[in-house]
Amino acid sequence: MMGAAVHSLKPAAAPAKVELREVCLSYFTPEGETEALSNVSFSLAPGEFVSLIGQSGCGKSTLLSLIAGLIPPTSGAVMIDGQPVVKPNPRIGYMLQQDYLFEWRTILDNVMLGAEIQGRRDARSEARAVHLLEKCGLGAFLSHTPRQLSGGMRQRAALARTLVTEPDVILLDEPFSALDSQTRLAISDEVVDILRREGKTVVLVTHDIGEAIAMTDRVIVPAGSRASTASITKGRPAPRRSRPVPARSSTPISRSSGTSWTYTWRAEP
Amino acid sequence: MNTAANTVPLRPVRAPSEKYLAYLRRDRARRRNIRIAQALLLVLFLCAWEILPRMHVLNPLLTSYPSALWPTFVELWKNGNLAHHIATTVSATVVGFCLSMAIGIVVAAALWWSDFLYKVLDPFLVVANAMPKIAFVPIFYLWLGSDYAVYGMAVAIAVFVTIMVVYAGFRGIDLNKVKLAHTFGASRWQVLTKVVLPGSVPTLIAAVKMNIGLALVGVIVGEFQSADSGLGFLIMNGSQVFKLNIVMTAIAVLALISSLMYLAIYRIEAAVARRYG
C-alpha cells in the first residue's frame, strides 16, 4: 500500500483520494465575521490513515464537515477522487463524537439508517449490516434497543452504521471521547483493525497525541495555534508543502513506525 | 445520553437474595398504600359531599349530594336521553381533539421546515394563544352554525398551545441526530420523518395529554351556548331551571369521562415510555 511517503514527497505520483485546496471558511453572524479556517491544503492517498490534532476550537471538526460536504467552503475546493464535493457523498462515511443511536430503533434498524436514507435498504444491505454487526461482536444484539447496550457496544454499532453504506473515506470525529479510558483503548484498536482490513482512507480527529501516533500513518497539525476570530484575517497562502520533522518519518518503513509529522493546515496571518 | 449506567447488559441472574425480596415487598406495599390512600381520598370526598348537605351544613339545594344523583342519573338515562348527550359530547371531543392534534402537528412541522415562517408567525401565535377563546363562542355560533360551533370551539382552545408545544419538541431534537442524518445525505423530508417525528414522540404524548383536556373544555363551553344536546347543554339547561341534581349528574359524568381519558393516556404513555424512557 502506498503510505505517507508518497504523499509527502511526490504528491503527483498517486491520484489523491481526498484533496483540500486552499480551503477557507468563515462564519457570518450579525455580530461579525468569524474565520474558522484559512488556506488549508492537504491531500490523502487512497488507503491512508491520518489524524488531525489540535486544541479544541481550531477547526478540526469543521474540516470534517467540509470534507463530508455538510458545509461548503467559503473559498477553495474539497475534492474526492478529483471531483469537487458539493453535498454529502455516499462515498464518505462520517462517524460523530457520540453514537447518536436512535432509541426508537433496534440496533439493526439503527445500522440500516444510512442505507434507508440513501434508498438502498434491501436484502443485500441488510445482510451486510448483519455481517458488520457480527464483526463488531454485536451479532447477538440485532433486535436490542440502544439502551440495552453499553457505551462501547453502542460505539461499535455506530461504526457498523457508518460502514454499512460502503464508503471508501471514513471521517472519525473523536469517536472515542465519550468512552471511559479502558473501553476506549479496547475499542480504538478494534476500530482501527476493522478499518484497515476494509482498506478505507481514514481521517481521525483527536486531541490525544498518543492516540494519533498509535493509530495513524501521518499526523496533521494546524500551523497556526488557534483559529482566529474577529474580523477578516488576511491570510497569506499557507506553505503548500508539508514539512516532515523527524527524519525517519519521511519514508516510513512500516505502518506501525510510520507516523510522519506534517506541519501544514493553516497559515499564520 | 446515559450510557454508563448500563455497562454490563444481560448478565445471568442468580436466585434473588433475601434482601432483594424484602425490597420487592416494601416496593409492593408502598404502591398498594398509594392506591389505598387515593381510594380513601375519593371516599372521604364523597362522604363529605353526602353528609354535609344532609346535616344542612351546606345548602343541599346548591350542592345536591351523591345519593340524590343516582335517581337523577337513572331518570335521565331512561327519559332524558343521557346516553345521547354523552355520545354527543364524547364524539365532539374526539373530533375536536383529532382535528387540533392534526392541525397542530402539520403547522408545527411547517414552522420547523421554514424558520422564516416561524419568525413571521411567532408573535401572532402567542397572541392567538393568549386570547380568551370563550369570547369567540357567539361568533362561532354565527359562522359555523349550531352543529359545528362546538368543534370550532374545541379546536380554537386546543390548537395554538398544541402548535407551540409540538414545535418546541421538534426544535428540541438533538441537532447531532439531525447532522447524522445529513451525513447520509438525508433530505429535509427524510430528516422530518426519520428523525424529528419519531424523536418527538414523548413530546407528542405530552401534547395529547394537554390537548384532550382542552378539547373537552372547548366542547363543553361550546355546548353551553349553542348546542341542543351534550353534557354542556345539560349543565346549562339544568342550572337555568335550577335543577342542581341534573347539573351535578352531568358534572359527575364528565368526571367519569375525564378519568377514562386519563386511563387511556396513561396506558399509551406507559407503552411509549418503555421504548423512549
Side-chain angles (χ1 to χ4, degrees):
Chain A
M1 292 212 86
M2 46 207 64
V6 171
H7 162 71
S8 48
L9 296 177
K10 289 168 278 178
K17 186 75 198 170
V18 178
E19 189 180 0
L20 274 74
R21 274 190 213 149
E22 294 177 21
V23 167
C24 299
L25 184 80
S26 301
Y27 293 113
F28 304 121
T29 60
E31 287 71 43
E33 187 178 349
T34 309
E35 191 181 50
L37 298 168
S38 75
N39 279 314
V40 178
S41 300
F42 61 82
S43 61
L44 310 181
E48 203 180 4
F49 209 127
V50 305
S51 46
L52 302 177
I53 64 173
Q55 298 147 310
S56 38
C58 71
K60 298 179 304 240
S61 301
T62 311
L63 262 177
L64 290 194
S65 293
L66 278 165
I67 299 173
L70 293 175
I71 45 177
T74 310
S75 69
V78 179
M79 323 278 271
I80 303 282
D81 290 328
Q83 301 289 316
V85 174
V86 286
K87 59 178 190 343
N89 181 329
R91 271 181 297 178
I92 304 171
Y94 190 166
M95 192 168 160
L96 304 174
Q97 276 190 28
Q98 282 171 42
D99 53 75
Y100 300 115
L101 295 173
F102 294 170
E103 57 268 34
W104 57 90
R105 285 172 174 247
T106 63
I107 293 302
L108 180 61
D109 282 340
N110 262 296
V111 169
M112 291 302 293
L113 179 72
E116 208 178 295
I117 286 174
Q118 292 168 9
R120 296 192 284 157
R121 181 161 191 159
D122 50 24
R124 192 180 151 275
S125 60
E126 206 146 324
R128 186 173 154 75
V130 172
H131 175 68
L132 278 165
L133 280 167
E134 279 165 358
K135 231 166 38 170
C136 296
L138 295 170
F141 299 93
L142 299 183
S143 42
H144 282 61
T145 58
R147 269 172 216 288
Q148 295 170 297
L149 267 57
S150 69
M153 294 162 94
R154 294 172 62 119
Q155 207 62 20
R156 278 178 284 164
L159 177 68
R161 182 183 56 199
T162 311
L163 292 176
V164 84
T165 54
E166 302 181 79
D168 353 303
V169 179
I170 308 282
L171 311 173
L172 303 173
D173 187 358
E174 304 194 31
F176 316 115
S177 58
L179 303 175
D180 60 273
S181 54
Q182 272 185 323
T183 319
R184 180 180 174 139
L185 284 174
I187 297 287
S188 54
D189 280 354
E190 245 177 283
V191 167
V192 171
D193 257 19
I194 290 169
L195 293 176
R196 291 244 195 248
R197 257 184 281 144
E198 301 244 333
K200 307 294 188 193
T201 306
V202 179
V203 184
L204 169 74
V205 157
T206 179
H207 55 255
D208 184 331
I209 297 176
E211 188 175 89
I213 293 174
M215 290 174 65
T216 58
D217 304 325
R218 185 156 61 104
V219 177
I220 298 177
V221 296
S225 56
R226 229 189 280 160
S228 55
T229 54
S231 56
I232 314 154
T233 322
K234 272 199 192 144
R236 68 177 152 73
R240 283 299 297 278
R241 213 35 287 135
S242 51
R243 187 159 60 89
V245 167
R248 63 171 171 87
S249 62
S250 57
T251 47
I253 298 155
S254 72
R255 258 175 209 292
S256 50
S257 65
T259 295
S260 70
W261 291 79
T262 313
Y263 291 99
T264 178
W265 181 349
R266 58 175 266 113
E268 286 273 41
Chain B
M1 210 148 288
N2 183 13
T3 50
N6 198 7
T7 45
V8 190
L10 304 179
R11 190 172 19 187
V13 182
R14 282 168 293 136
S17 70
E18 193 47 48
K19 282 193 172 167
Y20 178 62
L21 289 175
Y23 160 81
L24 283 184
R25 271 195 301 275
R26 269 202 311 281
D27 190 55
R28 251 198 309 275
R30 189 167 164 275
R31 261 187 277 179
R32 194 184 53 226
N33 289 342
I34 290 175
R35 291 270 171 242
I36 290 173
Q38 285 169 337
L40 271 179
L41 195 62
L42 190 62
V43 168
L44 204 70
F45 170 74
L46 290 176
C47 284
W49 187 11
E50 180 75 33
I51 292 166
L52 293 180
R54 278 176 184 262
M55 289 166 65
H56 290 272
V57 179
L58 295 173
N59 186 346
L61 267 180
L62 295 180
T63 61
S64 188
Y65 40 86
S67 62
L69 294 188
W70 179 245
T72 317
F73 180 83
V74 174
E75 162 72 19
L76 278 174
W77 188 272
K78 280 189 181 145
N79 307 322
N81 268 334
L82 183 59
H84 172 67
H85 290 302
I86 292 175
T88 306
T89 298
V90 168
S91 66
T93 305
V94 169
V95 170
F97 162 76
C98 292
L99 271 177
S100 46
M101 216 49 214
I103 296 171
I105 291 174
V106 168
V107 173
L111 297 180
W112 172 85
W113 194 283
S114 161
D115 194 52
F116 180 78
L117 192 66
Y118 170 71
K119 293 264 158 62
V120 170
L121 293 185
D122 182 41
F124 297 100
L125 278 175
V126 173
V127 171
N129 187 48
M131 285 287 285
K133 261 72 73 176
I134 293 169
F136 288 89
V137 172
I139 293 179
F140 282 157
Y141 191 40
L142 293 176
W143 285 353
L144 303 171
S146 64
D147 291 340
Y148 295 104
V150 180
Y151 302 128
M153 209 53 222
V155 172
I157 285 192
V159 77
F160 296 107
V161 64
T162 306
I163 292 172
M164 295 201 288
V165 167
V166 174
Y167 175 77
F170 285 179
R171 278 283 135 194
I173 294 288
D174 189 337
L175 283 179
N176 283 303
K177 285 184 174 161
V178 176
K179 182 178 176 184
L180 174 73
H182 281 307
T183 66
F184 292 116
S187 65
R188 228 169 158 63
W189 177 250
Q190 282 177 320
V191 171
L192 182 68
T193 54
K194 293 195 190 299
V195 185
V196 172
L197 277 174
S200 299
V201 166
T203 310
L204 292 178
I205 298 285
V208 164
K209 248 180 182 171
M210 202 184 50
N211 200 325
I212 192 125
L214 289 176
L216 185 57
V217 169
V219 166
I220 296 298
V221 167
E223 284 173 350
F224 278 171
Q225 179 79 18
S226 61
D228 48 10
S229 66
L231 292 169
F233 163 78
L234 215 55
I235 290 170
M236 197 41 93
N237 209 11
S239 70
Q240 276 162 358
V241 296
F242 218 74
K243 284 190 174 161
L244 263 288
N245 281 349
I246 291 180
V247 175
M248 287 299 180
T249 306
I251 290 175
V253 170
L254 274 176
L256 214 64
I257 292 174
S258 301
S259 320
L260 290 177
M261 289 187 327
Y262 166 77
L263 274 180
I265 290 170
Y266 182 78
R267 285 283 165 82
I268 297 172
E269 203 179 17
V272 169
R274 244 173 273 141
R275 177 138 281 203
Y276 287 83

